[in-house]
């Protein structure tokens, strides 16, 4: 009894909205004869706990797909090779507790971080797996036992150097990332000024070191990057900045030069005119741009800027230090302020207020989409990409964003299809049921022909023939129309049967005697009496249309990618690799779709039982 009194959290609200206050409910229970049909149906409907669960579940899913796209905005052109097949996570910037207050150095990689504490121990965090067998977190014992003084994180590997100048590489080393060049080996062996390393950098499958005597050494996968240096620049390099597949150098005389061999056609080789007679004190890079900090603290950006990297803000003070991520820059100003600009898709430019203005920032470290600011007291402030709550797909797209927006498409298709089918079914069913005769015979034969069509094969053929000429939006409209035009037969039979029974009632005879037009009798007097059954049919048909659209999209004949729907999000379920290794790509879409359709069917069953008083006796 106590459990029934508690009920569900929406029960009391629904009861009061549709049945009145608790006192009114008791009065109605005492005087059955004063109940209206609507209140009787509402009482029967909300009395079942399964209906309450279904209604609450559907409302939550509906609000999720209705409001969600405002927060998770869909970009159909979105894809990023550095974020493919990431599992659900929220720990990409979660520095280990044993490092807090003891941070000596940080290297931010693609989706992971590597840190050195004041005791000389290395730590890793975030998503560190490169492949099933390669994990950045598996730091070699010789690295942990060495006195590491410098390290850098690339897309798929980490490079570290100890106090003796020995280099260590771990992670993915299958593409020459761990194979040092002959001139590097000679410099290591010679030691002294030849191997007095002042900078160590890592990028996409290649790495670089700069020595104090101006020598630059690059090694790694030469097939994806320009890792050769023209001899005239050796001995004059002060700093190097690595992009995804190229690099640029700051020379000792304060000039910037593209020192590689692929300078023809390279966007980085076109050094801005404003830099040719200006002394540069620092350089940094993103995936597709390079930035130079001039002696007077200005920042000049050039290259393939796609996400606002060239939109340099107005600084309140000269730039002290600059670092670049994948599509954004972060700078420390002379007055201690920290500023970020460029792409803000993952909030990597939303500098915390505690860091942005006047904070005592000791150092900043920038990864692809992450930022770390180490304060003077040893604490660390972070901002940027923490992870993906539901993971990413094979193109690096956020699965949560696609589920939210895909649900809106699937629900819209289902709703519009039901409306089209209901309009056709009510019109034809009303005519067939009221007038009978030849009209009834013709309409029922048409309904039998349409109902006898093999629906999914017919829709697949129609989509294959016509759909290839349409864009995704037009194809979505086509699916709506096809589902609506081919799904009206059940509604038509239901309306016809009800009107056949209703047209013999006394109120219809009275309406005819009063001279009321027949179309008014059908649609204004008879139809409202069958609306309750029609609502049940529409509710169940809504779930059916959603399932049908998703089936077509799953089979590749519905709404095509990149427009997401719950159906085409499940296409990965026919791939054994995705089923076994990337379970989140099909489990989450299947789960929310299953919950939604089950809730709709529970509501439909509740409506059916509420409309039929005899169902309460069973």
């Amino acid at each position: 009894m106590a459990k029934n009194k508690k009920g569900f959290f929406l029960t009391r609200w629904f009861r009061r909205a549709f049945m009145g206050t608790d006192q009114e409910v008791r009065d109605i229970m005492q005087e059955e004869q004063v109940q209206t049909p609507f209140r009787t149906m509402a009482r029967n409907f909300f009395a079942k706990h399964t209906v309450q669960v279904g209604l609450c579940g559907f409302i939550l899913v509906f609000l999720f797909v209705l409001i969600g796209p405002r927060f998770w905005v869909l970009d159909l052109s979105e894809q990023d090779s550095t974020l493919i097949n990431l599992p659900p996570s929220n720990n990409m910037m979660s520095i280990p507790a044993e490092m807090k207050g003891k941070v000596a150095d940080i290297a931010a990689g693609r989706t992971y971080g590597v840190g050195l504490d004041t005791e000389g121990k290395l730590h890793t965090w975030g998503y560190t797996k490169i492949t099933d067998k390669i994990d950045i977190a598996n730091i070699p014992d010789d690295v942990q036992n060495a006195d590491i003084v410098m390290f850098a994180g690339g897309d798929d590997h980490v490079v570290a150097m100890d106090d003796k100048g020995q280099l260590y590489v771990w992670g993915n080393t299958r593409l020459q990332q761990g194979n040092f060049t002959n001139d590097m080996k000679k410099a290591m062996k010679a030691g002294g000024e030849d191997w007095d390393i002042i900078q160590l950098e890592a990028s996409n499958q290649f790495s670089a070191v700069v020595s104090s005597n101006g020598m630059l050494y690059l090694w790694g996968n030469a097939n994806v990057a320009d890792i050769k240096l023209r001899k005239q620049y050796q001995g004059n390099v002060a700093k190097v900045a690595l992009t995804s597949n190229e690099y640029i150098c700051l020379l000792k005389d304060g000039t910037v030069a593209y020192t590689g061999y692929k300078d023809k056609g390279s966007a980085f080789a076109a050094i801005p005119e404003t830099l040719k007679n200006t002394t540069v004190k620092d350089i940094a890079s993103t995936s597709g741009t390079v930035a130079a900090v001039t002696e007077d603290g200005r920042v000049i950006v050039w290259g393939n800027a796609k996400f606002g990297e060239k939109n340099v803000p107005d600084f309140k003070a000269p730039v002290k230090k600059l670092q670049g991520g994948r599509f954004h820059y972060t700078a420390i100003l002379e007055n201690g302020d920290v500023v970020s600009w460029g792409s803000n898709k993952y909030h990597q430019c939303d500098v915390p207020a505690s860091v942005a203005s006047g904070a005592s920032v000791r150092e900043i470290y920038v990864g692809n989409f992450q930022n770390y600011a180490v304060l003077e007291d040893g604490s660390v402030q972070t901002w940027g990409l923490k992870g993906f709550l539901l993971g990413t797909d094979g193109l690096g797209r956020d699965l949560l964003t696609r589920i939210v927006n895909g649900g809106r498409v699937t629900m819209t298709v289902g709703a519009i299809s039901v409306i089209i089918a209901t309009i056709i079914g009510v019109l034809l069913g009303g005519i067939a049921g009221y007038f009978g005769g030849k009209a009834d015979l013709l309409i029922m034969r048409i309904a039998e022909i349409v109902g006898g069509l093999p629906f999914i094969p017919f829709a697949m053929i129609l989509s294959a023939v016509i759909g290839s000429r349409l864009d995704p939006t037009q194809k979505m409209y086509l699916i709506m129309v096809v589902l609506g035009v081919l799904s009206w037969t059940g509604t038509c039979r239901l309306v016809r049967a009800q009107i056949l029974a209703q047209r013999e009632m006394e109120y219809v005879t009275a309406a005819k005697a009063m001279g009321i037009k027949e179309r008014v009798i059908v649609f204004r007097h008879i139809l409202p009496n069958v609306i309750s059954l029609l609502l049940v049919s529409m509710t169940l048909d809504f779930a059916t249309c959603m399932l049908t659209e998703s089936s077509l999209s799953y089979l590749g004949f519905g709404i095509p990618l990149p427009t997401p729907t719950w159906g085409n999000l499940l296409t990965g379920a026919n791939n054994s690799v995705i089923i076994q290794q990337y379970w989140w790509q099909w489990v989450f879409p299947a789960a929310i779709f299953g919950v939604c359709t089950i809730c709709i069917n529970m509501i439909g069953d509740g409506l059916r039982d509420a409309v039929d008083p005899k169902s309460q006796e069973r």
Side-chain angles (χ1 to χ4, degrees), residues 288-300:
T289 66
V290 174
V293 182
T294 62
E295 197 171 29
D296 57 359
R298 294 180 297 116
V299 176
I300 299 172

Side-chain angles (χ1 to χ4, degrees), residues 463 498 577:
S463 177
Q498 292 298 313
V577 175

Side-chain angles (χ1 to χ4, degrees), residues 83-210:
L83 298 174
I84 62 173
N85 297 325
L86 297 182
S89 67
N90 195 39
N91 64 345
M92 289 184 184
M93 294 187 294
S94 300
I95 296 177
E98 54 267 29
M99 272 194 70
K100 292 182 178 178
K102 301 189 298 182
V103 175
D105 197 5
I106 292 176
R110 179 173 60 185
T111 57
Y112 65 89
V114 180
L116 181 70
D117 61 25
T118 53
E119 298 174 357
K121 184 179 180 181
L122 284 172
H123 304 267
T124 61
W125 61 87
Y127 183 67
T128 58
K129 294 190 70 174
I130 306 303
T131 66
D132 288 339
K133 297 182 179 179
I134 300 175
D135 195 336
I136 296 294
N138 297 328
I139 303 175
D141 292 338
D142 55 346
V143 176
Q144 285 287 23
N145 296 330
D147 293 326
I148 301 299
V149 295
M150 194 179 298
F151 57 95
D155 277 8
D156 58 357
H157 68 289
V158 178
V159 183
M161 187 181 71
D162 62 16
D163 57 347
K164 298 178 182 178
Q166 177 64 44
L167 286 177
Y168 304 90
V169 182
W170 74 94
N172 184 13
T173 58
R174 299 174 178 175
L175 300 169
Q176 311 299 316
Q177 292 96 323
N179 294 345
F180 307 127
T181 60
N182 291 329
D183 54 346
M184 285 178 65
K185 294 177 182 177
K186 291 179 182 179
M188 286 184 199
K189 187 174 182 180
E193 189 181 48
D194 289 340
W195 197 245
D196 179 21
I197 303 303
I198 60 174
Q199 184 188 5
L200 175 61
E201 295 290 335
S203 185
N204 178 29
Q205 300 180 4
F206 73 104
S207 307
V209 293
V210 178

Side-chain angles (χ1 to χ4, degrees), residues 54 82 129 135 165 167 173 227 262 281 283 286 356 372 421 432 446 457 482 499 528 551 588 590:
T82 65
K129 294 190 70 174
D135 195 336
L167 286 177
T173 58
I227 58 173
K262 297 180 180 179
K281 65 177 184 180
I283 58 173
T286 63
Y372 303 84
I446 294 174
V482 169
I499 289 182
S551 300
F588 292 125

Side-chain angles (χ1 to χ4, degrees), residues 462-535:
L462 189 64
S463 177
V465 173
I466 303 176
S468 59
R469 307 171 191 173
L470 306 176
D471 60 38
T473 302
Q474 293 172 331
K475 198 164 186 180
M476 181 175 69
Y477 295 144
L478 174 65
I479 295 296
M480 292 179 186
V481 173
V482 169
L483 283 174
V485 169
L486 297 181
S487 303
W488 58 269
T489 56
T491 303
C492 178
R493 292 192 183 98
L494 175 65
V495 172
R496 172 183 175 272
Q498 292 298 313
I499 289 182
L500 281 174
Q502 292 291 323
R503 73 178 184 177
E504 305 301 330
M505 297 291 182
E506 289 81 357
Y507 72 91
V508 176
T509 304
K512 289 180 179 179
M514 294 173 64
I516 298 175
K517 295 180 180 179
E518 291 183 327
R519 61 180 177 83
V520 176
I521 295 174
V522 174
F523 295 107
R524 183 174 296 180
H525 297 285
I526 297 179
L527 194 59
N529 288 291
V530 301
I531 195 70
S532 55
L533 288 174
L534 195 59
L535 286 174

